[in-house]
Amino acid sequence: YHIQTRNDIFRVDQQAIVNDLNANGSASQFAGLYTFANNTKLTSTVKSQVVDATWGSLDLPLENGAKTETDGLDMSANYVLPTAAAGTFTFFAAADVVFKFLFSDPVIGGPFHYDGQYTDPQVAVGAQGLIPDYTVNTGLSWDIQNWNYTVNARYIPSVEDKGYGFPFRNETFTTIGTAAHPDGPTWTVEDWFSIDMQLSYELGKGKPLRDWYDGTKVTVGVNNVTDEAPPLISSSSEDNTDKASYDIIGRFVYFEVSKKF
């Protein structure tokens, strides 16, 4: 796939606005959006007026002009192996490979690469969330008589978390800084995997004439069998991870009874 969007809506970054206000004062294009704590506005072009001591409120405008471009490849394979005595085995796998993910807007510039990155909406601008270089989903399903067993595995490789340093400068935010990188080195979000299993039994499966109880299926399953914890993301403003991509519940056992009529 190859996707390009233009003239997208974007929210102007708050730090970019503050930088412009402190550089240009009342001559800033964003001067009307800022109000001091005493409810007054910027009236002079003196530099560095917007500081913590007199901070009031700042409106963040929505504008048009952002651009996004992404290239990638979705792949899937499925193989069914019937046997005379051992039932039917189905092997399946799917993967999404991201070649590039670029974002730019008139304020932050760009285009910047977000592939292989995590960005938090409260910390960085541009594409938000987790964009790994690839993801893999694979598994096996075994059907024999009235039984079905399925095991499924997901894998997400490690990504970089540049925090406050992306895309404005090379230093990045972590808990430990150095002289060369005051905000700390790039945080590496560890790779992660999850294995799910499910076993079910269906009454009357494949029967031409059915009794009233046929079509009833009893299922027991376990999500995240190995109880893999979600990786720590340094700049994440919620749960210190990405719950849209990783499992934050942990090992979860469930039971289900269903009936087909």
Side-chain angles (χ1 to χ4, degrees), residues 93-239:
D96 173 36
V97 181
V98 178
F99 298 143
K100 67 180 178 182
F101 195 109
L102 304 176
F103 177 86
S104 62
D105 71 44
V107 176
I108 68 171
F112 297 100
H113 275 272
Y114 285 79
D115 42 285
Q117 307 280 345
Y118 172 84
T119 53
D120 186 276
Q122 302 300 321
V123 176
V125 295
Q128 307 299 341
L130 190 77
I131 306 178
D133 291 323
Y134 64 92
T135 56
V136 177
N137 188 355
T138 186
L140 162 70
S141 181
W142 178 28
D143 288 281
I144 181 169
Q145 297 179 1
N146 294 22
W147 294 90
N148 172 266
Y149 170 75
T150 300
V151 56
N152 184 77
R154 293 178 294 148
Y155 178 75
I156 302 175
S158 62
V159 299
E160 289 187 342
D161 170 20
K162 294 185 177 181
Y164 289 115
F166 188 74
F168 297 107
R169 58 185 191 276
N170 292 326
E171 300 89 24
T172 57
F173 173 81
T174 61
T175 55
I176 302 175
T178 65
H181 303 281
D183 295 324
T186 296
W187 181 272
T188 298
V189 182
E190 296 180 354
D191 61 345
W192 181 84
F193 73 94
S194 176
I195 299 174
D196 303 334
M197 294 184 183
Q198 184 184 91
L199 178 66
S200 62
Y201 181 84
E202 182 177 340
L203 298 172
K205 185 177 182 180
K207 286 174 58 176
L209 297 176
R210 294 196 165 200
D211 296 314
W212 66 269
Y213 50 79
D214 290 334
T216 301
K217 180 188 287 187
V218 179
T219 301
V220 59
V222 183
N223 292 337
N224 197 353
V225 174
T226 56
D227 199 25
E228 296 297 319
L232 177 66
I233 299 180
S234 176
S235 73
S236 175
S237 59
E238 183 178 359
D239 301 317

Side-chain angles (χ1 to χ4, degrees), residues 54-65:
T54 56
W55 178 268
S57 63
L58 176 66
D59 294 330
L60 301 180
L62 293 175
E63 296 186 2
N64 290 92

